[in-house]
Amino acid sequence: MCIRDRYMGLFIFNRQMKYLLTREEIIIPKDVEISVKARTVTVKGPKGKLFKSFKHVAVDIQIVDQKDGTKKMIIEMWFGSYQSKAAVKSVASVVQNMIDGVIKGHKYKMKCVYAHFPITLNVMDGGKTLEVRNYVGERQVRKFAMMEGCTVFKNEAVKDQIEISGIDLENVSQTCALIQQAAVVKHKDNRKFLDGIYVSEQGFIQDKQMILCQLLTLHIHIENIACLLYTSPSPRDLSTSRMPSSA
């Protein structure tokens, strides 16, 4: 056997190296219901219902009851290669985003950027359509239909800002990407002409109840700090207490 064939054999052997078990676990919250059937995951929560098919990934998905009464999802891959075992973490991330979506909801904020011609944004059809006018001075009217489960909101308190929200992170992010790609200056240097609509912030939808809980927690922390500052002795008192008493 020549040297080339020997090295090719080593290369094939290294490519066929398998990992015995790759595993990821997800803790399921109490207010979320998850069902798995034929690698199709369905997630139900306070904000809605989502489902996703993972039939294209060779993984085992099962839900296990724990001793404390909670449930967890286990995602496993047996004898996976170095490249294929990365899909286990991807599946776990997608399921975790679905859980966050049905509990909190996802929200993206987009900001208009322009040098001379101000971009006009109009929300139509109850938040289902976005209309963009006067982009780089053009008369063309650009209309964007929100994807399924997504709504757009124009915040009048903040200039040139819109908020796109929904429970499906893929649809929300894809809607933002379509808006950004459509508002691009054509046949010019994009390093100089930066007019467009860009994502400025990503987070979760904050309900009024969640905001009140955060404010209450912050108020309790401030009160605790004030009590500690009021009751703690000053450095002068500590210095006088350490001085030896005169005989």
Side-chain angles (χ1 to χ4, degrees), residues 31-70:
D31 54 348
V32 174
E33 297 180 4
I34 298 182
S35 60
V36 181
K37 184 177 181 181
R39 282 183 288 183
T40 300
V41 180
T42 304
V43 182
K44 296 180 182 179
K47 289 186 174 293
K49 175 181 177 182
L50 294 173
F51 67 92
K52 183 73 174 179
S53 176
F54 298 102
K55 293 183 178 181
H56 60 286
V57 186
V59 294
D60 295 334
I61 306 175
Q62 56 183 340
I63 299 175
V64 179
D65 296 332
Q66 301 188 94
K67 294 181 180 179
D68 56 354
T70 60

CSV table of all heavy atoms in Angstrom, one decimal, residues 31-70:
chain,number,residue,atom,x,y,z
A,31,ASP,N,-46.4,26.4,34.4
A,31,ASP,CA,-47.5,26.9,33.6
A,31,ASP,C,-47.3,26.7,32.1
A,31,ASP,O,-47.9,27.3,31.3
A,31,ASP,CB,-47.6,28.5,33.9
A,31,ASP,CG,-46.3,29.2,33.6
A,31,ASP,OD1,-45.2,28.5,33.5
A,31,ASP,OD2,-46.3,30.4,33.6
A,32,VAL,N,-46.5,25.7,31.8
A,32,VAL,CA,-46.2,25.4,30.4
A,32,VAL,C,-46.5,23.9,30.2
A,32,VAL,O,-46.1,23.1,31.0
A,32,VAL,CB,-44.8,25.7,29.9
A,32,VAL,CG1,-44.5,25.2,28.5
A,32,VAL,CG2,-44.6,27.2,30.0
A,33,GLU,N,-47.2,23.5,29.1
A,33,GLU,CA,-47.5,22.1,28.8
A,33,GLU,C,-46.7,21.8,27.5
A,33,GLU,O,-46.9,22.5,26.5
A,33,GLU,CB,-49.0,21.9,28.6
A,33,GLU,CG,-49.8,22.1,29.8
A,33,GLU,CD,-51.3,21.9,29.6
A,33,GLU,OE1,-51.6,21.4,28.5
A,33,GLU,OE2,-52.1,22.1,30.5
A,34,ILE,N,-46.0,20.7,27.5
A,34,ILE,CA,-45.2,20.3,26.3
A,34,ILE,C,-45.6,18.8,26.0
A,34,ILE,O,-45.6,18.0,26.9
A,34,ILE,CB,-43.7,20.5,26.6
A,34,ILE,CG1,-43.3,21.9,26.8
A,34,ILE,CG2,-42.9,19.9,25.4
A,34,ILE,CD1,-41.9,22.2,27.0
A,35,SER,N,-45.8,18.6,24.8
A,35,SER,CA,-46.1,17.2,24.3
A,35,SER,C,-45.2,16.9,23.1
A,35,SER,O,-44.9,17.8,22.3
A,35,SER,CB,-47.6,17.1,23.9
A,35,SER,OG,-47.9,18.0,22.9
A,36,VAL,N,-44.8,15.7,23.0
A,36,VAL,CA,-43.9,15.3,21.9
A,36,VAL,C,-44.5,14.0,21.2
A,36,VAL,O,-44.9,13.1,21.9
A,36,VAL,CB,-42.5,14.9,22.5
A,36,VAL,CG1,-41.6,14.5,21.3
A,36,VAL,CG2,-41.9,16.1,23.2
A,37,LYS,N,-44.6,14.1,19.9
A,37,LYS,CA,-45.1,13.0,19.1
A,37,LYS,C,-44.4,13.0,17.8
A,37,LYS,O,-44.5,13.9,17.0
A,37,LYS,CB,-46.6,13.1,18.9
A,37,LYS,CG,-47.2,11.9,18.2
A,37,LYS,CD,-48.7,12.1,18.0
A,37,LYS,CE,-49.3,10.9,17.3
A,37,LYS,NZ,-50.8,11.0,17.1
A,38,ALA,N,-43.6,11.9,17.6
A,38,ALA,CA,-42.9,11.7,16.3
A,38,ALA,C,-42.0,12.9,16.1
A,38,ALA,O,-41.9,13.4,15.0
A,38,ALA,CB,-43.8,11.5,15.1
A,39,ARG,N,-41.2,13.3,17.1
A,39,ARG,CA,-40.3,14.4,17.0
A,39,ARG,C,-40.9,15.7,16.6
A,39,ARG,O,-40.2,16.6,16.1
A,39,ARG,CB,-39.1,14.0,16.1
A,39,ARG,CG,-38.1,13.1,16.7
A,39,ARG,CD,-36.9,12.9,15.8
A,39,ARG,NE,-37.3,12.0,14.7
A,39,ARG,CZ,-36.4,11.6,13.8
A,39,ARG,NH1,-35.2,11.9,13.9
A,39,ARG,NH2,-36.8,10.8,12.8
A,40,THR,N,-42.2,15.9,16.9
A,40,THR,CA,-42.9,17.1,16.7
A,40,THR,C,-43.2,17.6,18.1
A,40,THR,O,-44.0,17.0,18.9
A,40,THR,CB,-44.1,17.0,15.9
A,40,THR,OG1,-43.7,16.5,14.6
A,40,THR,CG2,-44.8,18.3,15.7
A,41,VAL,N,-42.7,18.8,18.5
A,41,VAL,CA,-42.8,19.3,19.8
A,41,VAL,C,-43.9,20.4,19.8
A,41,VAL,O,-43.9,21.3,19.0
A,41,VAL,CB,-41.5,20.0,20.3
A,41,VAL,CG1,-41.7,20.5,21.8
A,41,VAL,CG2,-40.4,18.9,20.3
A,42,THR,N,-44.9,20.3,20.7
A,42,THR,CA,-45.9,21.3,20.9
A,42,THR,C,-45.8,21.9,22.3
A,42,THR,O,-45.8,21.2,23.3
A,42,THR,CB,-47.3,20.6,20.7
A,42,THR,OG1,-47.4,20.0,19.4
A,42,THR,CG2,-48.4,21.7,20.8
A,43,VAL,N,-45.8,23.2,22.3
A,43,VAL,CA,-45.7,24.0,23.5
A,43,VAL,C,-46.9,24.9,23.7
A,43,VAL,O,-47.2,25.6,22.8
A,43,VAL,CB,-44.4,24.8,23.5
A,43,VAL,CG1,-44.2,25.6,24.9
A,43,VAL,CG2,-43.2,24.0,23.3
A,44,LYS,N,-47.5,24.8,24.9
A,44,LYS,CA,-48.7,25.6,25.2
A,44,LYS,C,-48.4,26.4,26.5
A,44,LYS,O,-47.8,25.9,27.4
A,44,LYS,CB,-49.9,24.7,25.5
A,44,LYS,CG,-50.4,23.9,24.3
A,44,LYS,CD,-51.7,23.1,24.6
A,44,LYS,CE,-52.1,22.3,23.4
A,44,LYS,NZ,-53.3,21.5,23.7
A,45,GLY,N,-48.8,27.7,26.4
A,45,GLY,CA,-48.5,28.5,27.6
A,45,GLY,C,-49.5,29.6,27.7
A,45,GLY,O,-50.5,29.7,27.0
A,46,PRO,N,-49.3,30.6,28.6
A,46,PRO,CA,-50.3,31.7,28.8
A,46,PRO,C,-50.5,32.5,27.6
A,46,PRO,O,-51.6,33.1,27.4
A,46,PRO,CB,-49.7,32.5,30.0
A,46,PRO,CG,-48.7,31.5,30.6
A,46,PRO,CD,-48.2,30.6,29.6
A,47,LYS,N,-49.5,32.7,26.7
A,47,LYS,CA,-49.6,33.6,25.6
A,47,LYS,C,-50.0,32.9,24.3
A,47,LYS,O,-50.3,33.6,23.3
A,47,LYS,CB,-48.3,34.3,25.4
A,47,LYS,CG,-48.1,35.4,26.5
A,47,LYS,CD,-46.8,36.2,26.1
A,47,LYS,CE,-46.7,37.3,27.1
A,47,LYS,NZ,-47.7,38.3,27.0
A,48,GLY,N,-50.0,31.6,24.3
A,48,GLY,CA,-50.5,30.9,23.0
A,48,GLY,C,-49.9,29.5,22.9
A,48,GLY,O,-49.4,28.9,23.9
A,49,LYS,N,-49.8,29.0,21.7
A,49,LYS,CA,-49.4,27.7,21.4
A,49,LYS,C,-48.4,27.7,20.2
A,49,LYS,O,-48.7,28.4,19.2
A,49,LYS,CB,-50.6,26.8,21.1
A,49,LYS,CG,-50.3,25.4,20.6
A,49,LYS,CD,-51.6,24.7,20.3
A,49,LYS,CE,-51.4,23.3,19.8
A,49,LYS,NZ,-52.6,22.6,19.4
A,50,LEU,N,-47.4,26.9,20.3
A,50,LEU,CA,-46.4,26.8,19.2
A,50,LEU,C,-46.1,25.3,19.0
A,50,LEU,O,-46.1,24.5,19.9
A,50,LEU,CB,-45.1,27.5,19.6
A,50,LEU,CG,-45.2,29.1,19.7
A,50,LEU,CD1,-43.8,29.6,20.2
A,50,LEU,CD2,-45.5,29.7,18.3
A,51,PHE,N,-45.7,25.0,17.8
A,51,PHE,CA,-45.2,23.6,17.5
A,51,PHE,C,-44.1,23.7,16.5
A,51,PHE,O,-44.0,24.6,15.6
A,51,PHE,CB,-46.4,22.8,17.0
A,51,PHE,CG,-46.9,23.2,15.6
A,51,PHE,CD1,-46.4,22.6,14.5
A,51,PHE,CD2,-47.9,24.1,15.5
A,51,PHE,CE1,-46.9,23.0,13.2
A,51,PHE,CE2,-48.4,24.5,14.3
A,51,PHE,CZ,-47.9,23.9,13.1
A,52,LYS,N,-43.2,22.7,16.6
A,52,LYS,CA,-42.0,22.7,15.7
A,52,LYS,C,-41.7,21.2,15.4
A,52,LYS,O,-41.7,20.4,16.3
A,52,LYS,CB,-40.9,23.4,16.4
A,52,LYS,CG,-39.6,23.4,15.5
A,52,LYS,CD,-39.7,24.4,14.4
A,52,LYS,CE,-38.4,24.6,13.7
A,52,LYS,NZ,-38.6,25.5,12.5
A,53,SER,N,-41.4,20.9,14.2
A,53,SER,CA,-41.0,19.6,13.8
A,53,SER,C,-39.5,19.4,13.7
A,53,SER,O,-38.8,20.3,13.1
A,53,SER,CB,-41.7,19.2,12.5
A,53,SER,OG,-41.2,17.9,12.0
A,54,PHE,N,-39.0,18.4,14.3
A,54,PHE,CA,-37.5,18.1,14.3
A,54,PHE,C,-37.3,16.7,13.6
A,54,PHE,O,-36.4,16.0,14.0
A,54,PHE,CB,-37.0,18.1,15.7
A,54,PHE,CG,-37.1,19.4,16.4
A,54,PHE,CD1,-38.1,19.6,17.4
A,54,PHE,CD2,-36.2,20.5,16.1
A,54,PHE,CE1,-38.2,20.8,18.0
A,54,PHE,CE2,-36.3,21.7,16.8
A,54,PHE,CZ,-37.3,21.9,17.7
A,55,LYS,N,-38.1,16.4,12.7
A,55,LYS,CA,-38.0,15.1,12.0
A,55,LYS,C,-36.7,15.0,11.2
A,55,LYS,O,-36.3,13.9,10.8
A,55,LYS,CB,-39.2,14.8,11.1
A,55,LYS,CG,-40.5,14.6,11.9
A,55,LYS,CD,-41.6,14.3,11.1
A,55,LYS,CE,-42.9,14.0,11.9
A,55,LYS,NZ,-44.1,13.6,11.0
A,56,HIS,N,-36.1,16.1,10.8
A,56,HIS,CA,-34.9,16.1,10.0
A,56,HIS,C,-33.7,15.9,10.9
A,56,HIS,O,-32.6,15.9,10.3
A,56,HIS,CB,-34.8,17.5,9.3
A,56,HIS,CG,-34.8,18.7,10.2
A,56,HIS,ND1,-35.9,19.1,10.8
A,56,HIS,CD2,-33.8,19.5,10.5
A,56,HIS,CE1,-35.6,20.2,11.5
A,56,HIS,NE2,-34.3,20.4,11.4
A,57,VAL,N,-33.8,15.9,12.2
A,57,VAL,CA,-32.7,15.7,13.1
A,57,VAL,C,-32.8,14.3,13.8
A,57,VAL,O,-33.9,14.0,14.3
A,57,VAL,CB,-32.6,16.8,14.2
A,57,VAL,CG1,-31.4,16.7,15.0
A,57,VAL,CG2,-32.7,18.2,13.5
A,58,ALA,N,-31.7,13.6,13.8
A,58,ALA,CA,-31.7,12.2,14.4
A,58,ALA,C,-31.4,12.3,15.9
A,58,ALA,O,-30.3,12.0,16.3
A,58,ALA,CB,-30.6,11.4,13.7
A,59,VAL,N,-32.5,12.7,16.6
A,59,VAL,CA,-32.4,12.8,18.1
A,59,VAL,C,-33.6,12.1,18.7
A,59,VAL,O,-34.6,12.0,18.1
A,59,VAL,CB,-32.3,14.3,18.5
A,59,VAL,CG1,-31.0,15.0,18.0
A,59,VAL,CG2,-33.5,15.1,18.0
A,60,ASP,N,-33.4,11.8,20.0
A,60,ASP,CA,-34.4,11.2,20.8
A,60,ASP,C,-34.9,12.3,21.7
A,60,ASP,O,-34.1,12.9,22.5
A,60,ASP,CB,-34.0,10.0,21.6
A,60,ASP,CG,-33.6,8.9,20.7
A,60,ASP,OD1,-34.1,8.8,19.6
A,60,ASP,OD2,-32.7,8.1,21.1
A,61,ILE,N,-36.2,12.6,21.7
A,61,ILE,CA,-36.8,13.6,22.6
A,61,ILE,C,-37.9,12.9,23.5
A,61,ILE,O,-38.8,12.3,23.0
A,61,ILE,CB,-37.5,14.7,21.8
A,61,ILE,CG1,-36.5,15.3,20.8
A,61,ILE,CG2,-38.0,15.8,22.6
A,61,ILE,CD1,-37.1,16.3,19.8
A,62,GLN,N,-37.7,13.1,24.8
A,62,GLN,CA,-38.7,12.6,25.7
A,62,GLN,C,-38.9,13.5,26.9
A,62,GLN,O,-38.0,14.3,27.2
A,62,GLN,CB,-38.2,11.2,26.2
A,62,GLN,CG,-36.8,11.2,26.8
A,62,GLN,CD,-36.4,9.8,27.2
A,62,GLN,OE1,-37.2,8.9,27.3
A,62,GLN,NE2,-35.1,9.6,27.4
A,63,ILE,N,-40.0,13.4,27.6
A,63,ILE,CA,-40.3,14.2,28.8
A,63,ILE,C,-40.4,13.2,30.0
A,63,ILE,O,-41.0,12.2,29.9
A,63,ILE,CB,-41.7,14.9,28.6
A,63,ILE,CG1,-41.6,15.8,27.4
A,63,ILE,CG2,-42.1,15.6,29.8
A,63,ILE,CD1,-42.9,16.5,27.0
A,64,VAL,N,-39.7,13.6,31.0
A,64,VAL,CA,-39.5,12.8,32.2
A,64,VAL,C,-40.0,13.6,33.4
A,64,VAL,O,-39.7,14.8,33.5
A,64,VAL,CB,-38.0,12.4,32.4
A,64,VAL,CG1,-37.8,11.5,33.6
A,64,VAL,CG2,-37.5,11.7,31.2
A,65,ASP,N,-40.7,12.9,34.3
A,65,ASP,CA,-41.2,13.4,35.6
A,65,ASP,C,-40.1,13.3,36.6
A,65,ASP,O,-39.4,12.3,36.7
A,65,ASP,CB,-42.4,12.7,36.1
A,65,ASP,CG,-43.6,12.9,35.2
A,65,ASP,OD1,-43.7,13.9,34.5
A,65,ASP,OD2,-44.5,12.0,35.1
A,66,GLN,N,-39.9,14.4,37.4
A,66,GLN,CA,-38.9,14.5,38.4
A,66,GLN,C,-39.5,14.2,39.8
A,66,GLN,O,-40.8,14.2,40.0
A,66,GLN,CB,-38.2,15.8,38.4
A,66,GLN,CG,-37.5,16.1,37.1
A,66,GLN,CD,-36.6,17.3,37.2
A,66,GLN,OE1,-35.4,17.2,37.4
A,66,GLN,NE2,-37.2,18.5,37.0
A,67,LYS,N,-38.7,14.0,40.8
A,67,LYS,CA,-39.2,13.7,42.1
A,67,LYS,C,-39.9,14.9,42.8
A,67,LYS,O,-40.8,14.7,43.6
A,67,LYS,CB,-38.0,13.3,43.0
A,67,LYS,CG,-37.3,12.0,42.6
A,67,LYS,CD,-36.2,11.6,43.5
A,67,LYS,CE,-35.6,10.3,43.1
A,67,LYS,NZ,-34.4,9.9,44.0
A,68,ASP,N,-39.5,16.1,42.5
A,68,ASP,CA,-40.1,17.3,43.1
A,68,ASP,C,-41.5,17.6,42.4
A,68,ASP,O,-42.0,18.7,42.7
A,68,ASP,CB,-39.2,18.4,43.1
A,68,ASP,CG,-38.7,18.8,41.7
A,68,ASP,OD1,-39.0,18.0,40.7
A,68,ASP,OD2,-38.0,19.8,41.5
A,69,GLY,N,-41.9,16.8,41.5
A,69,GLY,CA,-43.2,17.1,40.8
A,69,GLY,C,-43.1,17.9,39.5
A,69,GLY,O,-44.1,18.0,38.7
A,70,THR,N,-41.9,18.4,39.2
A,70,THR,CA,-41.7,19.1,37.9
A,70,THR,C,-41.4,18.1,36.8
A,70,THR,O,-41.1,17.0,37.0
A,70,THR,CB,-40.6,20.2,38.1
A,70,THR,OG1,-39.4,19.5,38.4
A,70,THR,CG2,-41.0,21.2,39.1
